Amino acid sequence: MKFFIDTANLNEIREAYDLGVLDGVTTNPSLMAKEGIKGEENVKAHYKAICDIVDNNVSAEVIATDFDTMIKEGEELAKIDEKIVVKIPMIRDGVKAIKYLTAQGIRTNCTLVFSAGQAILAAKAGASYVSPFIGRLDDIAYDGLSLIEQIVQIYDNYGYATEVLAASIRHTMHLVQCAEIGADVATCPLKVITSLLNHPLTDSGLKQFLADHHKVNS
Ligand code: E4P
């Protein structure tokens, strides 16, 4: 399973990368705004700074919602760095834009996916990644993990190359359950990745090992 970090914060991206387990980054317009990044040139420079930290897979989202402007923006974003994956919303013109950009050899991530039907469209259009938002479904009392399970099964039935990128992950159990189901990628905040480290038996076990070592070595 690939781990992406869902943030535009450079320090958090560096910290996750330094841990040695990071495969990519997802951003969205809200995350960019949270970092105070505004203006076309600053946005591009920020994406470049992210690309300079990680090895691959930096999702950068288009703002346009019509086909012509989406593909123009997508092509501009893709020029920033070969690590860029153009993030396109699951709307009618978005599906067309995914098909177009894929044919140009530009990788895409179809975002804001909340149903299996939408995921089928994204795969048929040739998206590199599909991003079902599980936390936002859970928030409205739908089962986000069941959607991941459904999409994994459907893609498996037909051998679609699109990778299932479980998004809107809120806690470690979301991530572990996505791994059990067979999601290809999980994107989550830094806190979720680092929380995987924690177990009280690891802490008490290590304390005991070190105490026993020091007893005979001091
Ligand atoms: C994914 O690409 C999205 O940026 C993200 O996972 C959304 O998460 P949220 O529902 O916590 O905002």
Side-chain angles (χ1 to χ4, degrees):
M1 183 189 222
K2 291 181 201 162
F3 277 8
F4 292 176
I5 187 168
D6 195 31
T7 183
N9 183 284
L10 298 180
N11 289 331
E12 289 183 2
I13 295 167
R14 276 188 208 102
E15 188 178 335
Y17 185 78
D18 285 348
L19 195 57
V21 297
L22 193 67
D23 301 292
V25 179
T26 50
T27 63
N28 62 41
S30 304
L31 293 171
M32 292 291 277
K34 194 172 160 198
E35 298 307 309
I37 316 296
K38 54 181 177 183
E40 200 181 320
E41 289 316 308
N42 290 333
V43 166
K44 283 185 184 168
H46 198 77
Y47 284 136
K48 181 64 186 156
I50 294 174
C51 290
D52 288 345
I53 300 171
V54 298
D55 299 331
N56 202 350
N57 300 310
V58 176
S59 281
E61 189 158 340
V62 298
I63 303 299
T65 53
D66 67 281
F67 174 76
D68 289 333
T69 326
M70 260 188 202
I71 61 169
K72 190 167 166 272
E73 246 187 84
E75 285 171 339
E76 284 299 308
L77 289 169
K79 273 185 215 152
I80 297 171
D81 195 291
E82 61 184 14
K83 296 173 190 170
I84 292 282
V85 178
V86 178
K87 210 172 176 190
I88 308 264
M90 170 37 79
I91 55 176
R92 183 182 293 257
D93 278 21
V95 173
K96 290 162 66 178
I98 288 167
K99 178 88 186 171
Y100 177 89
L101 292 169
T102 302
Q104 309 305 306
I106 293 172
R107 292 182 297 159
T108 57
N109 172 358
C110 183
T111 190
L112 289 167
V113 166
F114 294 94
S115 76
Q118 291 177 326
I120 293 171
L121 280 177
K124 284 191 66 70
S128 315
Y129 296 102
V130 65
S131 290
F133 280 31
I134 61 179
R136 291 191 193 189
L137 278 171
D138 287 359
D139 287 346
I140 58 160
Y142 280 80
D143 186 356
L145 285 165
S146 294
L147 176 61
I148 300 291
E149 204 162 15
Q150 233 184 327
I151 298 171
V152 167
Q153 175 67 63
I154 292 167
Y155 283 12
D156 195 44
N157 289 347
Y158 295 98
Y160 287 132
T162 304
E163 292 186 55
V164 180
L165 195 174
S168 187
I169 285 183
R170 301 280 160 79
H171 48 74
T172 52
M173 284 317 291
H174 265 162
L175 192 150
V176 171
Q177 285 162 332
C178 282
E180 279 177 349
I181 291 166
D184 300 289
V185 192
T187 189
C188 43
L190 177 64
K191 174 173 63 76
V192 175
I193 299 175
T194 54
S195 295
L196 292 173
L197 286 164
N198 301 336
H199 199 288
L201 290 178
T202 305
D203 299 339
S204 58
L206 181 60
K207 199 171 162 199
Q208 184 68 54
F209 284 159
L210 296 179
D212 289 344
H213 171 84
H214 291 309
K215 242 185 265 168
V216 295
N217 286 281
S218 53

